[in-house]
Amino acid sequence: AIKEEGVVIDPAFCKGCGLCYSACPSHAITLLNFEEYQVLKMTETAFKHLSDGKPRLLGLLCYWCAYAAADYMGICRIKAPENFRSIKIRCSGSISMDLIMEILGRDLADGILIAGCPVNNCHDIWGNYIEARRVGILSKVLEDLGYKDKIIKWEYIGVTRGDVVANDLKFMNERLQKIKNKNA
């Protein structure tokens, strides 16, 4: 709906996925209980007690599938690296590339796994596809900017695929540990 003061999101039609939030170039849209500063605060706190020398692995996992898959890892007794922290997000498409650049630019994490619903199964229809494309573009930009000691990874993950989360974390952890050892 458009009113005199500008664009207004009709709460009756809002699904709360955050796609509009992450795409808004002026950051005029806000989502209750999901603003970038809140995710940054969680990220700042997440690694406070982590031993030096360990890579900081951050998972930004969609509420519907990827976060549930990480929970499922525990049920299946699949261990995550001790240096992994996760943040439950509304939809993978709600993560803006500005937020990822802020996290990396402030050196709050070494590796970021962004994960959403499986192919043809996104609860918000296309949030996973949008984020997959964004992460692909951002990965190339990060490389061009010289972020060779950081990893950003996208993954489609279904609820019962805790093994995929574990494999991604293992890969990222091993690669980042090699980078840290080389730079030490």
Side-chain angles (χ1 to χ4, degrees):
I2 298 180
K3 294 189 176 183
E4 282 183 36
E5 42 306 324
V7 177
V8 176
I9 296 172
D10 187 340
F13 294 105
C14 178
K15 296 184 340 180
C17 64
L19 295 175
C20 59
Y21 174 76
S22 63
C24 182
S26 64
H27 300 290
I29 299 171
T30 59
L31 292 175
L32 185 62
N33 296 323
F34 186 79
E35 294 187 45
E36 289 185 356
Y37 82 88
Q38 293 169 314
V39 175
L40 285 169
K41 286 289 184 193
M42 287 186 264
T43 305
E44 287 171 358
T45 305
F47 299 105
K48 278 193 175 181
H49 302 290
L50 184 66
S51 306
D52 287 340
K54 297 253 186 210
R56 297 160 298 167
L57 300 175
L58 178 66
L60 299 173
L61 309 175
C62 89
Y63 170 82
W64 293 103
C65 291
Y67 195 84
D71 275 348
Y72 191 66
M73 284 173 43
I75 293 169
C76 296
R77 300 189 189 278
I78 301 170
K79 294 197 182 245
E82 67 181 49
N83 48 322
F84 168 64
R85 308 291 187 268
S86 64
I87 296 174
K88 186 186 327 184
I89 57 175
R90 292 177 184 218
C91 171
S92 57
S94 68
I95 298 298
S96 74
M97 295 303 99
D98 291 342
L99 176 61
I100 300 303
M101 289 301 295
E102 184 75 19
I103 291 169
L104 296 176
R106 290 176 49 191
D107 195 31
L108 298 175
D110 299 306
I112 302 173
L113 172 63
I114 302 172
C117 297
V119 174
N120 298 324
N121 210 6
C122 181
H123 287 76
D124 293 311
I125 304 172
W126 53 75
N128 56 354
Y129 301 122
I130 291 170
E131 197 65 19
R133 293 183 76 194
R134 287 179 185 157
V135 170
I137 292 166
L138 185 60
S139 294
K140 292 174 185 164
V141 169
L142 289 173
E143 199 174 297
D144 291 344
L145 291 174
Y147 282 90
K148 304 223 186 285
D149 58 343
K150 304 286 185 186
I151 297 174
I152 180 173
K153 183 168 182 8
W154 163 258
E155 191 70 67
Y156 294 98
I157 299 177
V159 172
T160 60
R161 298 307 311 262
D163 59 319
V164 175
V165 178
N167 288 338
D168 285 340
L169 294 174
K170 181 181 176 189
F171 164 78
M172 291 173 71
N173 194 41
E174 288 172 356
R175 188 163 161 220
L176 287 166
Q177 192 63 60
K178 285 179 187 174
I179 291 168
K180 281 201 169 281
N181 292 343
K182 183 177 148 187
N183 293 340

